[in-house]
Amino acid sequence: MEFNNEKKKLSRQSSSFRLRSPSLNALRLHRVFDLFDKNNDGFITVEELSQALSRLGLEADFSDLKSTVDSFIKPDKTGLRFDDFAALHKTLDESFFGGEGSCCDGSPESDLEEAFNVFDEDGDGFISAVELQKVLKKLGLPEAGEIEQVEKMIVSVDSNHDGRVDFFEFKNMMQTVVVPSS
């Protein structure tokens, strides 16, 4: 993978968001690992990673992906353990985005705006049930199965009752998220 040529292009187009709290980042990374580990064997193979990226609309050349991932897989292992996955994530973050916080102005508000934009696929300033369902499906989450369930998720944070989530409702919801201590 050619990191330098893609760095500037990807840093502006990143649909990922970075939280300032290391414990929240670790929790988020564990969730991603669990989503990608389709057979729940504690390892992510190159095939599982390739399929996950494809589901997210991120096509990667398989041989480049294999070459990169293989360098993080420990000898006599079949895939990435969580620690290996975390090391790969850190290396890619540093290569593409210059490490922690370089894609944004460093404020929690900009992190939230970037997160909001992941869900607001049409860029109209609102997250609809359909948009939320699309993102949940891309992530392979079972909550995406029925639109009625997704609509309930929207209603639970829709304080002005317009049937969609604006940035301020999203921000309020994100500020009330409780993360259990490990």
Side-chain angles (χ1 to χ4, degrees), residues 7-175:
K7 185 175 180 176
K8 287 184 182 179
K9 188 184 337 176
L10 287 174
S11 66
R12 289 192 169 193
Q13 297 174 351
S14 170
S15 62
S16 172
F17 68 99
R18 201 174 282 104
L19 300 171
R20 297 288 169 244
S21 166
S23 62
L24 288 177
N25 276 333
L27 177 66
R28 183 180 59 137
L29 198 56
H30 267 286
R31 287 182 180 160
V32 170
F33 181 87
D34 292 341
L35 284 171
F36 288 5
D37 181 16
K38 282 298 182 190
N39 63 358
N40 297 315
D41 65 353
F43 293 95
I44 297 175
T45 64
V46 176
E47 291 77 14
E48 287 172 321
L49 185 58
S50 178
Q51 290 168 2
L53 293 173
S54 182
R55 280 193 309 274
L56 292 169
L58 303 170
E59 298 302 324
D61 179 77
F62 188 82
S63 61
D64 286 345
L65 183 63
K66 182 170 175 33
S67 171
T68 301
V69 171
D70 281 350
S71 68
F72 287 86
I73 296 175
K74 300 285 188 265
D76 72 332
K77 299 294 179 195
T78 59
L80 297 167
R81 294 172 304 150
F82 176 75
D83 291 344
D84 305 328
F85 181 69
L88 172 63
H89 177 266
K90 181 179 180 195
T91 299
L92 292 176
D93 182 45
E94 289 170 354
S95 296
F96 285 122
F97 307 112
E100 196 66 37
S102 66
C103 72
C104 312
D105 67 12
S107 72
E109 186 90 2
S110 67
D111 285 345
L112 286 173
E113 288 170 3
E114 197 170 346
F116 180 83
N117 291 334
V118 170
F119 294 94
D120 179 20
E121 291 191 328
D122 64 8
D124 68 353
F126 300 96
I127 301 170
S128 69
V130 171
E131 287 174 314
L132 178 57
Q133 186 179 39
K134 285 180 184 177
V135 173
L136 295 174
K137 278 183 182 177
K138 286 179 184 177
L139 294 172
L141 297 174
E143 292 89 343
E146 296 182 24
I147 192 67
E148 294 80 16
Q149 183 66 25
V150 177
E151 288 169 346
K152 287 179 184 177
M153 295 168 77
I154 294 287
V155 167
S156 72
V157 297
D158 180 19
S159 60
N160 66 3
H161 309 291
D162 65 353
R164 53 195 184 167
V165 177
D166 62 34
F167 177 72
F168 298 104
E169 292 165 332
F170 180 80
K171 179 179 172 183
N172 187 41
M173 184 256 324
M174 292 300 285
Q175 289 173 336

